[in-house]
Amino acid sequence: WFLGWTDGNVTLSSGRSALRWGSGERRNSVDNAGVWRYGADAIYPSSSANRTSSFDALDAIVESLANSTQFPNLDMIAVSGHSSGGQMVQRWALLTNKIPFGDIGHPDTQVSRSLGQENRKRLHVRAIVANPSSYVYLDGRRYINNTFQYPTKKTQATCPQYNQWEYGLDVGGPTDVRYEHKAIMKAGGIDRVIERYGHRDVAYLAGSQDRCPTTGRDGWCYSHGLETTCMDMLQGSNRLERSWNYFHSLKALYGRQRHTRTVIDGVGHDHSLMFTSREGIAAIWTNVQK
C-alpha cells in the first residue's frame, strides 16, 4: 500500500505498516506529495534501519511477478505509468538493478540467476512512460531554439538544479534519493547506467492534445497539473513538446534512435484514454520477443 503525505499512519490486517511518502526527503517545499515519483524513501514507517524507497517497492512488486517458480509461464511484464506515474516509471527504468529488463545485447545473468531464470526463456520487462511532466536527462543538454545544446551560463546560474536529480544525473537536486546513489554505484557508475538504459525496452506515449502551456481545456488542448519550475520549462513548454524533446535527445546522445515513441491522436492528459487507445493497448500487450 502507498499512502499520501496527508494520510494518517495505517496498520494493515497483516500487522505490517503501509508505506507513506511526504516531504521528508525534499530540500524545499515545492512538492510535498510527489517525492515518490523520484525514488525518495517513505517517511512512515520511519525506522532508519529499514528505509524503503518507492523504487524499492516497485522492484519488489516486479520481482514477485518475475519469480519463475510462482509464474513459470509469464514471459513479459509491462510497467506503465501516466503523468506522475510516468515520471516514476521512467526514473525507475533508468536506475533499477534488480529487474531482468531484457537489456538487448547486455544480459544481466546475475539478476536472472537470483530469480531462478537461467534455465528458461528470458523474461522481458517493458517500461511504458505516458505524459509525464518531466524526464531525467542523461546529460546537461536541452533542446533550446530547436537545437540540442547546453543552456547558457546565465541560464544555468539562474536554474542551478536543472540537471540535478530528478531532472538529470548531476549531484544535488531538490530531492535527496538514497536509491539513486546506491543504484548508480552498484551498476558501475553513471556511464554504465546511461549505456544500459539505451538497451532497455522503454516506450513513451504522448497525447496529441496534452500541449497546453498551462493547465486548461480550450478545445485544442487538454492538460492539468503541468509542472512549470525552471527545471521543467527547460525541457519544453508543455508535455507533448517535452516528450518530443526527450525522445530526440536519446538519438543525439546514443548516435541512433533508442526506445519508441507514439503520439496518440486526439487524447489529452487522460490516463484512461491513453491506456485504452489502440496504441496504448499495443504498448502494454505486444511482446517484442514473440
Side-chain angles (χ1 to χ4, degrees), residues 196-213:
R196 180 184 67 183
Y197 185 60
H199 295 278
R200 294 187 162 179
D201 185 0
V202 183
Y204 307 96
L205 303 181
S208 69
Q209 305 306 103
D210 198 352
R211 51 182 178 164
C212 301

PDB file of all heavy atoms in Angstrom, residues 196-213:
ATOM      1  N   ARG A 196      23.437   1.370 -20.411  1.00  0.00           N
ATOM      2  CA  ARG A 196      22.473   0.292 -20.210  1.00  0.00           C
ATOM      3  C   ARG A 196      21.051   0.729 -20.540  1.00  0.00           C
ATOM      4  O   ARG A 196      20.266  -0.032 -21.110  1.00  0.00           O
ATOM      5  CB  ARG A 196      22.570  -0.150 -18.744  1.00  0.00           C
ATOM      6  CG  ARG A 196      21.645  -1.257 -18.323  1.00  0.00           C
ATOM      7  CD  ARG A 196      21.789  -1.522 -16.829  1.00  0.00           C
ATOM      8  NE  ARG A 196      21.312  -0.400 -16.023  1.00  0.00           N
ATOM      9  CZ  ARG A 196      21.381  -0.373 -14.694  1.00  0.00           C
ATOM     10  NH1 ARG A 196      21.929  -1.377 -14.033  1.00  0.00           N
ATOM     11  NH2 ARG A 196      20.909   0.678 -14.031  1.00  0.00           N
ATOM     12  N   TYR A 197      20.718   1.972 -20.206  1.00  0.00           N
ATOM     13  CA  TYR A 197      19.361   2.472 -20.428  1.00  0.00           C
ATOM     14  C   TYR A 197      18.995   2.430 -21.913  1.00  0.00           C
ATOM     15  O   TYR A 197      17.851   2.145 -22.267  1.00  0.00           O
ATOM     16  CB  TYR A 197      19.244   3.895 -19.893  1.00  0.00           C
ATOM     17  CG  TYR A 197      17.851   4.482 -19.951  1.00  0.00           C
ATOM     18  CD1 TYR A 197      16.790   3.890 -19.277  1.00  0.00           C
ATOM     19  CD2 TYR A 197      17.599   5.663 -20.668  1.00  0.00           C
ATOM     20  CE1 TYR A 197      15.507   4.436 -19.311  1.00  0.00           C
ATOM     21  CE2 TYR A 197      16.329   6.221 -20.698  1.00  0.00           C
ATOM     22  CZ  TYR A 197      15.298   5.604 -20.024  1.00  0.00           C
ATOM     23  OH  TYR A 197      14.026   6.154 -20.063  1.00  0.00           O
ATOM     24  N   GLY A 198      19.958   2.690 -22.771  1.00  0.00           N
ATOM     25  CA  GLY A 198      19.690   2.672 -24.200  1.00  0.00           C
ATOM     26  C   GLY A 198      19.284   1.317 -24.727  1.00  0.00           C
ATOM     27  O   GLY A 198      18.663   1.210 -25.784  1.00  0.00           O
ATOM     28  N   HIS A 199      19.642   0.254 -24.005  1.00  0.00           N
ATOM     29  CA  HIS A 199      19.323  -1.105 -24.438  1.00  0.00           C
ATOM     30  C   HIS A 199      18.044  -1.639 -23.801  1.00  0.00           C
ATOM     31  O   HIS A 199      17.624  -2.753 -24.108  1.00  0.00           O
ATOM     32  CB  HIS A 199      20.487  -2.041 -24.098  1.00  0.00           C
ATOM     33  CG  HIS A 199      21.744  -1.728 -24.850  1.00  0.00           C
ATOM     34  ND1 HIS A 199      21.974  -2.155 -26.139  1.00  0.00           N
ATOM     35  CD2 HIS A 199      22.829  -1.006 -24.491  1.00  0.00           C
ATOM     36  CE1 HIS A 199      23.155  -1.708 -26.548  1.00  0.00           C
ATOM     37  NE2 HIS A 199      23.693  -1.021 -25.566  1.00  0.00           N
ATOM     38  N   ARG A 200      17.427  -0.856 -22.936  1.00  0.00           N
ATOM     39  CA  ARG A 200      16.213  -1.312 -22.269  1.00  0.00           C
ATOM     40  C   ARG A 200      14.986  -0.991 -23.120  1.00  0.00           C
ATOM     41  O   ARG A 200      15.019  -0.104 -23.966  1.00  0.00           O
ATOM     42  CB  ARG A 200      16.110  -0.683 -20.881  1.00  0.00           C
ATOM     43  CG  ARG A 200      17.220  -1.191 -19.982  1.00  0.00           C
ATOM     44  CD  ARG A 200      17.127  -0.756 -18.546  1.00  0.00           C
ATOM     45  NE  ARG A 200      17.965  -1.636 -17.736  1.00  0.00           N
ATOM     46  CZ  ARG A 200      18.134  -1.543 -16.425  1.00  0.00           C
ATOM     47  NH1 ARG A 200      17.508  -0.586 -15.746  1.00  0.00           N
ATOM     48  NH2 ARG A 200      18.893  -2.401 -15.781  1.00  0.00           N
ATOM     49  N   ASP A 201      13.932  -1.756 -22.895  1.00  0.00           N
ATOM     50  CA  ASP A 201      12.705  -1.582 -23.666  1.00  0.00           C
ATOM     51  C   ASP A 201      11.845  -0.536 -22.964  1.00  0.00           C
ATOM     52  O   ASP A 201      11.168  -0.828 -21.976  1.00  0.00           O
ATOM     53  CB  ASP A 201      11.975  -2.920 -23.767  1.00  0.00           C
ATOM     54  CG  ASP A 201      10.738  -2.836 -24.661  1.00  0.00           C
ATOM     55  OD1 ASP A 201      10.450  -1.743 -25.187  1.00  0.00           O
ATOM     56  OD2 ASP A 201      10.059  -3.869 -24.834  1.00  0.00           O
ATOM     57  N   VAL A 202      11.892   0.684 -23.473  1.00  0.00           N
ATOM     58  CA  VAL A 202      11.122   1.787 -22.900  1.00  0.00           C
ATOM     59  C   VAL A 202      10.257   2.382 -24.010  1.00  0.00           C
ATOM     60  O   VAL A 202      10.768   2.732 -25.082  1.00  0.00           O
ATOM     61  CB  VAL A 202      12.031   2.872 -22.293  1.00  0.00           C
ATOM     62  CG1 VAL A 202      11.182   3.961 -21.638  1.00  0.00           C
ATOM     63  CG2 VAL A 202      13.010   2.267 -21.288  1.00  0.00           C
ATOM     64  N   ALA A 203       8.970   2.469 -23.754  1.00  0.00           N
ATOM     65  CA  ALA A 203       8.022   3.039 -24.727  1.00  0.00           C
ATOM     66  C   ALA A 203       7.439   4.321 -24.144  1.00  0.00           C
ATOM     67  O   ALA A 203       6.920   4.323 -23.026  1.00  0.00           O
ATOM     68  CB  ALA A 203       6.913   2.038 -25.022  1.00  0.00           C
ATOM     69  N   TYR A 204       7.542   5.406 -24.901  1.00  0.00           N
ATOM     70  CA  TYR A 204       6.992   6.697 -24.483  1.00  0.00           C
ATOM     71  C   TYR A 204       5.691   6.942 -25.234  1.00  0.00           C
ATOM     72  O   TYR A 204       5.648   6.821 -26.466  1.00  0.00           O
ATOM     73  CB  TYR A 204       7.988   7.821 -24.769  1.00  0.00           C
ATOM     74  CG  TYR A 204       9.367   7.572 -24.202  1.00  0.00           C
ATOM     75  CD1 TYR A 204      10.369   7.022 -24.994  1.00  0.00           C
ATOM     76  CD2 TYR A 204       9.667   7.867 -22.880  1.00  0.00           C
ATOM     77  CE1 TYR A 204      11.635   6.771 -24.481  1.00  0.00           C
ATOM     78  CE2 TYR A 204      10.931   7.621 -22.352  1.00  0.00           C
ATOM     79  CZ  TYR A 204      11.909   7.070 -23.158  1.00  0.00           C
ATOM     80  OH  TYR A 204      13.158   6.816 -22.649  1.00  0.00           O
ATOM     81  N   LEU A 205       4.641   7.269 -24.498  1.00  0.00           N
ATOM     82  CA  LEU A 205       3.354   7.603 -25.093  1.00  0.00           C
ATOM     83  C   LEU A 205       3.044   9.066 -24.814  1.00  0.00           C
ATOM     84  O   LEU A 205       3.251   9.547 -23.691  1.00  0.00           O
ATOM     85  CB  LEU A 205       2.242   6.730 -24.511  1.00  0.00           C
ATOM     86  CG  LEU A 205       2.391   5.209 -24.637  1.00  0.00           C
ATOM     87  CD1 LEU A 205       1.187   4.510 -24.015  1.00  0.00           C
ATOM     88  CD2 LEU A 205       2.575   4.779 -26.085  1.00  0.00           C
ATOM     89  N   ALA A 206       2.549   9.759 -25.828  1.00  0.00           N
ATOM     90  CA  ALA A 206       2.214  11.173 -25.672  1.00  0.00           C
ATOM     91  C   ALA A 206       0.856  11.436 -26.284  1.00  0.00           C
ATOM     92  O   ALA A 206       0.563  10.987 -27.396  1.00  0.00           O
ATOM     93  CB  ALA A 206       3.271  12.049 -26.344  1.00  0.00           C
ATOM     94  N   GLY A 207       0.005  12.175 -25.565  1.00  0.00           N
ATOM     95  CA  GLY A 207      -1.283  12.584 -26.112  1.00  0.00           C
ATOM     96  C   GLY A 207      -1.122  13.815 -26.981  1.00  0.00           C
ATOM     97  O   GLY A 207      -0.488  14.794 -26.576  1.00  0.00           O
ATOM     98  N   SER A 208      -1.691  13.780 -28.176  1.00  0.00           N
ATOM     99  CA  SER A 208      -1.506  14.902 -29.106  1.00  0.00           C
ATOM    100  C   SER A 208      -2.103  16.199 -28.570  1.00  0.00           C
ATOM    101  O   SER A 208      -1.692  17.286 -28.969  1.00  0.00           O
ATOM    102  CB  SER A 208      -2.130  14.568 -30.466  1.00  0.00           C
ATOM    103  OG  SER A 208      -3.549  14.521 -30.376  1.00  0.00           O
ATOM    104  N   GLN A 209      -3.086  16.090 -27.660  1.00  0.00           N
ATOM    105  CA  GLN A 209      -3.733  17.289 -27.125  1.00  0.00           C
ATOM    106  C   GLN A 209      -3.167  17.714 -25.771  1.00  0.00           C
ATOM    107  O   GLN A 209      -3.645  18.689 -25.191  1.00  0.00           O
ATOM    108  CB  GLN A 209      -5.240  17.052 -26.985  1.00  0.00           C
ATOM    109  CG  GLN A 209      -5.922  16.597 -28.275  1.00  0.00           C
ATOM    110  CD  GLN A 209      -5.651  17.538 -29.430  1.00  0.00           C
ATOM    111  OE1 GLN A 209      -4.831  17.258 -30.306  1.00  0.00           O
ATOM    112  NE2 GLN A 209      -6.319  18.661 -29.436  1.00  0.00           N
ATOM    113  N   ASP A 210      -2.166  17.007 -25.279  1.00  0.00           N
ATOM    114  CA  ASP A 210      -1.561  17.363 -23.984  1.00  0.00           C
ATOM    115  C   ASP A 210      -0.479  18.406 -24.240  1.00  0.00           C
ATOM    116  O   ASP A 210       0.697  18.205 -23.998  1.00  0.00           O
ATOM    117  CB  ASP A 210      -0.972  16.120 -23.320  1.00  0.00           C
ATOM    118  CG  ASP A 210      -0.742  16.311 -21.826  1.00  0.00           C
ATOM    119  OD1 ASP A 210      -0.894  17.453 -21.350  1.00  0.00           O
ATOM    120  OD2 ASP A 210      -0.393  15.328 -21.149  1.00  0.00           O
ATOM    121  N   ARG A 211      -0.911  19.551 -24.727  1.00  0.00           N
ATOM    122  CA  ARG A 211       0.037  20.561 -25.185  1.00  0.00           C
ATOM    123  C   ARG A 211      -0.324  21.967 -24.737  1.00  0.00           C
ATOM    124  O   ARG A 211       0.146  22.947 -25.317  1.00  0.00           O
ATOM    125  CB  ARG A 211       0.150  20.520 -26.708  1.00  0.00           C
ATOM    126  CG  ARG A 211      -1.184  20.574 -27.442  1.00  0.00           C
ATOM    127  CD  ARG A 211      -0.994  20.482 -28.943  1.00  0.00           C
ATOM    128  NE  ARG A 211      -2.281  20.487 -29.634  1.00  0.00           N
ATOM    129  CZ  ARG A 211      -2.412  20.726 -30.931  1.00  0.00           C
ATOM    130  NH1 ARG A 211      -1.355  20.997 -31.660  1.00  0.00           N
ATOM    131  NH2 ARG A 211      -3.604  20.691 -31.498  1.00  0.00           N
ATOM    132  N   CYS A 212      -1.160  22.099 -23.723  1.00  0.00           N
ATOM    133  CA  CYS A 212      -1.414  23.429 -23.176  1.00  0.00           C
ATOM    134  C   CYS A 212      -0.177  23.917 -22.437  1.00  0.00           C
ATOM    135  O   CYS A 212       0.434  23.147 -21.688  1.00  0.00           O
ATOM    136  CB  CYS A 212      -2.576  23.407 -22.195  1.00  0.00           C
ATOM    137  SG  CYS A 212      -4.143  22.833 -22.879  1.00  0.00           S
ATOM    138  N   PRO A 213       0.214  25.165 -22.602  1.00  0.00           N
ATOM    139  CA  PRO A 213       1.357  25.683 -21.854  1.00  0.00           C
ATOM    140  C   PRO A 213       1.051  25.836 -20.369  1.00  0.00           C
ATOM    141  O   PRO A 213       1.949  25.943 -19.546  1.00  0.00           O
ATOM    142  CB  PRO A 213       1.631  27.038 -22.509  1.00  0.00           C
ATOM    143  CG  PRO A 213       0.315  27.429 -23.115  1.00  0.00           C
ATOM    144  CD  PRO A 213      -0.338  26.149 -23.534  1.00  0.00           C
TER     145      PRO A 213
END
